[in-house]
Amino acid sequence: MERGKMAEAESLETAAEHERILREIESTDTACIGPTLRSVYDGEEHGRFMEKLETRIRNHDREIEKMCNFHYQGFVDSITELLKVRGEAQKLKNQVTDTNRKLQHEGKELVIAMEELKHCRLQQRNISATVDKLMLCLPVLEMYSKLRDQMKTKRHYPALKTLEHLEHTYLPQVSHYRFCKVMVDNIPKLREEIKDVSMSDLKDFLESIRKHSDKIGETAMKQAQQQRNLDNIILQQPRIGSKRKPKKDAYTIFDTEIGSTSPKSEQDSGILDVEDEEDDEEVPGAQDLVDFSPVYRCLHIYSVLGARETFENYYRKQRRKQARLVLQPPSNMHETLDGYRKYFNQIVGFFVVEDHILHTTQGLVNRAYIDELWEMALSKTIAALRTHSSYCSDPNLVLDLKNLIVLFADTLQVYGFPVNQLFDMLLEIRDQYSETLLKKWSGIFRNILDSDNYSPIPVTSEEIYKKVVGQFPFQDTELEKQPFPKKFPFSEFVPKVYNQIKEFIYACLKFSEDLHLSSTEVDDMIRKSTNLLLTRTLSSSLQNVIKRKNIGLTELVQIIINTTHLEKSCKYLEEFITNITNVLPETVHTTKLYGTTTFKDARHAAEEEIYTNLNQKIDQFLQLADYDWMTGDLGNKASDYLVDLIAFLRSTFAVFTHLPGKVAQTACMSACKHLATSLMQLLLEAEVRQLTLGALQQFNLDVRECEQFARSGPVPGFQEDTLQLAFIDLRQLLHGPLFYVLYLLIKCCLLQATLKHFTFLFFHSL
């Protein structure tokens, strides 16, 4: 029973499972029923399932049959309609086929055109892509081409800028192209090439300015000279408005941009061609001659490349070498002024360039570097000038050298260089200049004294008189009243010497110009130099003339007269110096002129020479004396030689009329004393062992002739019988108490020594 119930329960479960499987089969997609069927066959009740499935199929068939029976008429109608539609569809198909055939036939060209259009669109798309790529590459290529052009035209700094843009802006956009990689690899090489080429341009520039430093310096010194001339004109005409153009700034920066494409900025040479200007045209600025763009370009290039310090060291080293070359003077510089001028031009040109570099670049050179170069240049220049100027013997060359040094100093002072040492050195050259002037004026005085006729200047007209008075300060009321022709008391060398002294003073004044000396210093310098001229040069020339062997008494007398008038003119020379220096002689420490002493010494020397010359002339006449100490004839006239001597003395003393009275009197007294002494010596000679009364008579006549000459007053100013005292010893010898004793001694042929002894005793007793 229980088995029956269990079997029945299992049968119900199996039926329910089959029912579920059938529903699942009905509701599941055909492709997914495999697992469901497999579960049926895996079980043991697949036979029942098949029965159940057959039953279900039959049930569905019955339902389908019922439905078909219900809709049969509609189905028939539908079939009929469908048959009709099939006919129409066939017709439509035929029409569509025909239309398609026609369309295919007609659209064949369109298809071809469409294919072509498709191909064109593809090309257009490719072209557009290519253009886009080229648009990215073209700027790179253009920049590279521009870089090459800039390097070809030596525009190195713009080329470097272009290279920077190319590397950082353009190449990264097309870095995947092979040609870009080539460019990237070439960039370091291009930088080195730009660096090397710019350094080559700098070397060319340095070499060029080394060769043209003298031209640069010449232009700068011309500018300084023009400015000084304009300043002098302004000082001389303070009320006249100046119409000159404003002076160019010494530190004008050139209108030369580093990236400029102008031909001027791209020149390799640092010196621009400048035509020679006429003197009345404006001299171009010194910096206008120089194109500094190679320096600027190279400096900027090295700065951009991070090698500025290397560039600065190289530039300074090369310029130091050039400075040493410039400061080396030529061995024959002292021979001509052009040698000094070229030397100064080169130095000025060098420092004008350096000064411009200092003010137009930031740190390429600094003030300490410039000062160091200038100190070296100053010491070497001063040493060279001291050495070479010592060879100069021409005062004109020394004066021109001084003016050139002043211009050299003024030019460099404009650019801010200290030049006090140059002016101190000029004071040393001033002493040398004075020496050369003294040597020159020594020759001038010698020529004047040698060519002078030592005769009073004849005057035949008022014009000649005024001309002489205009040359020499002379005033004589009596001479002015005399009718023409008349004579000045002095000879031609007086106005000539006086004018030459003034010329010497002018020459000294010329050297003191522009030395920034005070009036007192100029006055002191002129007076000291003039004193040297008077006391050394002129005095020596006068002494040489006075001591000449062939000089005559007339010349000596004229020299005394001339020196007297020159002595009187010294006060006018004092006034002349005062007028040109504006320093009063009463000023403390003012040097006095020693001309009075000079001319007094010369006059005293001439006086002594006159005395000596007169004595020599007297001796020459006495050599003609031929006394016959044993003659027995009694003469009645003086000896011929003595008559001639007295005539000579009379004519000579007649010339002494223009001499100072004391000089003429002294000369006359000296001559008479010398004559008396000489006659005494003739009588007391050792050879005169005996003499006759006739000889004594002749000797007495000669002495009487001398006394007569003394009494005649050959020179005015002597008191009565003063001149006769010169012969008193002879007279006393001839007429004194010893005369008879002397006669007996001579008769007895006593020795000359005894005669001399008694004569001494006699003179002593007197």
Side-chain angles (χ1 to χ4, degrees):
M1 186 74 171
E2 290 179 359
R3 278 182 192 173
K5 289 181 181 179
M6 291 177 65
E8 185 177 358
E10 290 177 0
S11 176
L12 291 174
E13 289 177 2
T14 302
E17 180 66 22
H18 289 171
E19 185 65 27
R20 184 189 63 79
I21 292 171
L22 289 174
R23 286 196 300 272
E24 187 176 348
I25 290 172
E26 289 175 350
S27 61
T28 303
D29 191 3
T30 305
C32 299
I33 63 174
T36 303
L37 295 177
R38 184 174 184 83
S39 64
V40 174
Y41 284 101
D42 288 340
E44 297 178 356
E45 297 297 333
H46 60 278
R48 290 183 180 180
F49 177 74
M50 292 301 298
E51 292 176 358
K52 193 75 172 174
L53 179 61
E54 287 294 335
T55 301
R56 180 64 60 90
I57 291 171
R58 285 194 297 273
N59 290 335
H60 281 296
D61 288 338
R62 282 193 298 272
E63 289 178 2
I64 292 170
E65 184 177 357
K66 287 178 181 180
M67 187 176 292
C68 289
N69 290 329
F70 179 75
H71 295 288
Y72 177 75
Q73 186 60 42
F75 175 73
V76 173
D77 293 337
S78 297
I79 291 299
T80 302
E81 289 295 330
L82 185 59
L83 290 174
K84 291 180 181 180
V85 170
R86 185 177 65 181
E88 294 296 329
Q90 186 64 38
K91 290 180 182 179
L92 181 59
K93 179 181 179 181
N94 293 334
Q95 290 177 358
V96 169
T97 302
D98 185 54
T99 301
N100 182 54
R101 184 174 62 255
K102 292 180 180 180
L103 182 61
Q104 290 294 332
H105 178 73
E106 296 295 333
K108 186 176 182 179
E109 295 179 0
L110 180 60
V111 170
I112 295 173
M114 290 298 294
E115 289 294 331
E116 293 177 355
L117 178 60
K118 179 181 178 182
H119 183 69
C120 289
R121 289 294 177 85
L122 180 60
Q123 288 181 341
Q124 184 180 10
R125 186 167 59 252
N126 292 338
I127 290 173
S128 178
T130 304
V131 169
D132 292 339
K133 298 300 182 181
L134 288 176
M135 290 301 292
L136 291 176
C137 295
L138 279 178
V140 177
L141 297 174
E142 289 175 355
M143 291 295 287
Y144 192 79
S145 176
K146 181 180 179 181
L147 173 64
R148 281 300 182 183
D149 291 340
Q150 289 171 339
M151 294 186 64
K152 185 177 181 180
T153 55
K154 298 183 179 181
R155 297 165 55 200
H156 306 121
Y157 183 74
L160 190 61
K161 287 294 185 182
T162 302
L163 186 62
E164 293 294 325
H165 286 297
L166 182 64
E167 181 181 15
H168 299 293
T169 305
Y170 294 96
L171 284 178
Q173 299 177 4
V174 290
S175 58
H176 53 282
Y177 293 109
R178 186 165 49 189
F179 75 91
C180 294
K181 295 180 181 179
V182 175
M183 290 183 183
V184 171
D185 294 338
N186 284 335
I187 284 177
K189 298 179 181 178
L190 291 174
R191 280 201 178 94
E192 287 299 321
E193 182 180 353
I194 292 174
K195 187 176 178 181
D196 294 340
V197 173
S198 63
M199 179 57 71
S200 177
D201 289 347
L202 176 67
K203 291 179 179 178
D204 294 341
F205 170 81
L206 293 175
E207 179 65 20
S208 182
I209 60 173
R210 185 188 68 81
K211 293 180 179 178
H212 296 84
S213 288
D214 54 345
K215 180 64 176 177
I216 301 170
E218 179 184 0
T219 304
M221 293 179 73
K222 281 183 179 179
Q223 276 189 315
Q225 182 65 50
Q226 282 188 346
Q227 183 61 36
R228 190 165 66 178
N229 294 339
L230 290 174
D231 292 341
N232 291 335
I233 292 174
I234 293 173
L235 291 175
Q236 294 173 3
Q237 301 176 353
R239 296 183 180 179
I240 300 177
S242 175
K243 297 181 180 179
R244 67 182 179 92
K245 297 180 179 179
K247 181 184 178 183
K248 291 186 178 180
D249 187 359
Y251 311 122
T252 302
I253 301 177
F254 301 115
D255 297 330
T256 304
E257 297 182 358
I258 301 303
S260 173
T261 58
S262 63
K264 176 180 176 180
S265 64
E266 300 302 326
Q267 290 183 352
D268 289 337
S269 174
I271 307 299
L272 303 179
D273 294 332
V274 177
E275 297 180 355
D276 295 335
E277 298 85 359
E278 298 295 334
D279 293 339
D280 56 348
E281 294 182 357
E282 184 179 359
V283 178
Q287 294 90 354
D288 294 340
L289 300 176
V290 185
D291 176 19
F292 287 91
S293 57
V295 180
Y296 300 148
R297 286 197 300 267
C298 198
L299 175 62
H300 285 293
I301 288 170
Y302 271 74
S303 298
V304 171
L305 296 177
R308 181 186 177 98
E309 185 177 355
T310 302
F311 174 77
E312 290 177 359
N313 293 334
Y314 176 81
Y315 178 85
R316 295 182 184 184
K317 181 180 179 181
Q318 294 302 314
R319 291 296 281 167
R320 280 195 180 92
K321 290 181 179 179
Q322 291 185 357
R324 293 187 180 94
L325 291 176
V326 166
L327 295 172
Q328 185 67 32
S331 58
N332 61 343
M333 183 175 70
H334 61 276
E335 296 179 356
T336 62
L337 188 65
D338 289 337
Y340 290 102
R341 182 178 289 110
K342 185 175 182 181
Y343 180 64
F344 289 144
N345 288 342
Q346 289 179 342
I347 297 175
V348 172
F350 178 89
F351 283 100
V352 166
V353 171
E354 289 306 292
D355 183 77
H356 187 76
I357 291 294
L358 173 66
H359 289 86
T360 56
T361 60
Q362 297 179 352
L364 178 56
V365 296
N366 52 33
R367 177 53 65 183
Y369 162 80
I370 295 294
D371 291 342
E372 178 188 352
L373 283 181
W374 175 240
E375 287 297 327
M376 177 185 69
L378 198 58
S379 61
K380 289 183 177 293
T381 302
I382 290 176
L385 290 176
R386 282 174 178 162
T387 301
H388 287 269
S389 63
S390 63
Y391 300 137
C392 295
S393 58
D394 182 7
N396 293 328
L397 179 58
V398 178
L399 181 61
D400 292 338
L401 174 59
K402 166 258 170 182
N403 293 329
L404 193 59
I405 293 174
V406 170
L407 180 58
F408 170 71
D410 289 345
T411 303
L412 289 170
Q413 195 170 27
V414 170
Y415 292 91
F417 295 100
V419 293
N420 292 333
Q421 293 185 41
L422 288 174
F423 285 102
D424 293 340
M425 184 205 59
L426 283 174
L427 298 181
E428 300 176 13
I429 296 181
R430 180 188 64 186
D431 298 334
Q432 179 189 348
Y433 176 70
S434 297
E435 289 298 324
T436 57
L437 283 181
L438 292 175
K439 290 180 181 179
K440 178 180 179 180
W441 257 259
S442 176
I444 292 174
F445 288 147
R446 183 171 57 252
N447 293 334
I448 291 174
L449 297 177
D450 290 344
S451 61
D452 193 60
N453 57 8
Y454 295 94
S455 299
I457 301 175
V459 181
T460 58
S461 64
E462 184 70 22
E463 182 180 357
I464 298 176
Y465 183 87
K466 290 181 178 179
K467 180 180 179 181
V468 175
V469 174
Q471 294 176 348
F472 181 76
F474 176 77
Q475 293 180 351
D476 190 339
T477 307
E478 295 182 359
L479 182 62
E480 291 178 359
K481 294 178 180 179
Q482 294 179 11
F484 294 100
K486 51 189 174 182
K487 294 182 179 180
F488 285 97
F490 47 81
S491 67
E492 291 183 355
F493 98 61
V494 172
K496 288 182 179 179
V497 167
Y498 181 80
N499 287 325
Q500 284 302 321
I501 295 174
K502 292 173 65 176
E503 289 296 327
F504 179 87
I505 293 172
Y506 275 126
C508 293
L509 181 64
K510 286 181 180 178
F511 192 90
S512 64
E513 293 175 351
D514 302 319
L515 292 185
H516 310 299
L517 300 175
S518 65
S519 299
T520 305
E521 291 174 320
V522 174
D523 181 84
D524 184 68
M525 183 269 289
I526 292 177
R527 289 177 182 273
K528 287 182 179 179
S529 299
T530 306
N531 279 333
L532 286 176
L533 177 73
L534 295 174
T535 59
R536 193 172 76 183
T537 305
L538 181 56
S539 177
S540 176
S541 299
L542 289 173
Q543 294 292 339
N544 290 335
V545 172
I546 292 171
K547 299 297 181 182
R548 283 191 307 201
K549 294 182 178 180
N550 59 345
I551 191 167
L553 287 172
T554 305
E555 287 86 348
L556 290 171
V557 170
Q558 192 62 56
I559 288 174
I560 293 176
I561 297 171
N562 290 349
T563 53
T564 301
H565 287 284
L566 285 173
E567 180 183 349
K568 294 178 181 179
S569 69
C570 287
K571 62 179 182 179
Y572 298 102
L573 290 175
E574 290 269 8
E575 294 176 359
F576 176 72
I577 295 175
T578 299
N579 291 334
I580 63 176
T581 62
N582 295 322
V583 177
L584 297 177
E586 294 81 11
T587 305
V588 181
H589 306 306
T590 299
T591 305
K592 304 298 181 183
L593 289 184
Y594 302 145
T596 302
T597 304
T598 298
F599 297 124
K600 281 183 178 179
D601 293 342
R603 186 164 63 252
H604 292 160
E607 292 172 3
E608 293 295 331
E609 195 67 23
I610 286 177
Y611 305 153
T612 304
N613 200 313
L614 274 174
N615 293 341
Q616 290 176 352
K617 289 292 184 181
I618 292 172
D619 292 341
Q620 291 176 5
F621 278 101
L622 289 174
Q623 288 177 1
L624 300 177
D626 188 16
Y627 288 104
D628 185 2
W629 301 109
M630 301 303 296
T631 182
D633 298 334
L634 297 176
N636 56 3
K637 64 176 182 177
S639 301
D640 292 338
Y641 86 89
L642 190 64
V643 173
D644 293 339
L645 173 59
I646 297 300
F648 165 75
L649 291 177
R650 288 184 186 278
S651 62
T652 299
F653 291 141
V655 180
F656 288 7
T657 54
H658 294 291
L659 284 176
K662 187 178 292 186
V663 176
Q665 293 170 12
T666 304
C668 187
M669 178 61 75
S670 174
C672 291
K673 285 183 177 180
H674 183 73
L675 178 58
T677 303
S678 299
L679 289 175
M680 180 76 74
Q681 290 177 353
L682 284 176
L683 188 61
L684 302 179
E685 283 182 349
E687 289 82 2
V688 182
R689 296 179 180 275
Q690 57 182 346
L691 50 80
T692 63
L693 288 175
L696 287 175
Q697 177 66 23
Q698 184 62 48
F699 194 80
N700 184 48
L701 290 174
D702 291 344
V703 173
R704 188 175 297 171
E705 183 70 20
C706 293
E707 292 173 337
Q708 180 63 32
F709 169 73
R711 282 194 299 270
S712 66
V715 174
F718 283 110
Q719 295 181 359
E720 186 177 356
D721 297 337
T722 301
L723 193 58
Q724 296 182 48
L725 295 176
F727 301 99
I728 190 65
D729 293 341
L730 276 176
R731 177 53 54 199
Q732 290 178 351
L733 178 64
L734 292 175
H735 292 108
L738 195 60
F739 176 78
Y740 183 71
V741 177
L742 290 174
Y743 176 73
L744 292 177
L745 289 173
I746 295 171
K747 291 287 286 183
C748 296
C749 300
L750 293 177
L751 292 175
Q752 183 69 28
T754 305
L755 177 61
K756 289 182 178 180
H757 179 68
F758 276 94
T759 303
F760 173 77
L761 293 176
F762 174 74
F763 289 156
H764 185 69
S765 65
L766 292 175

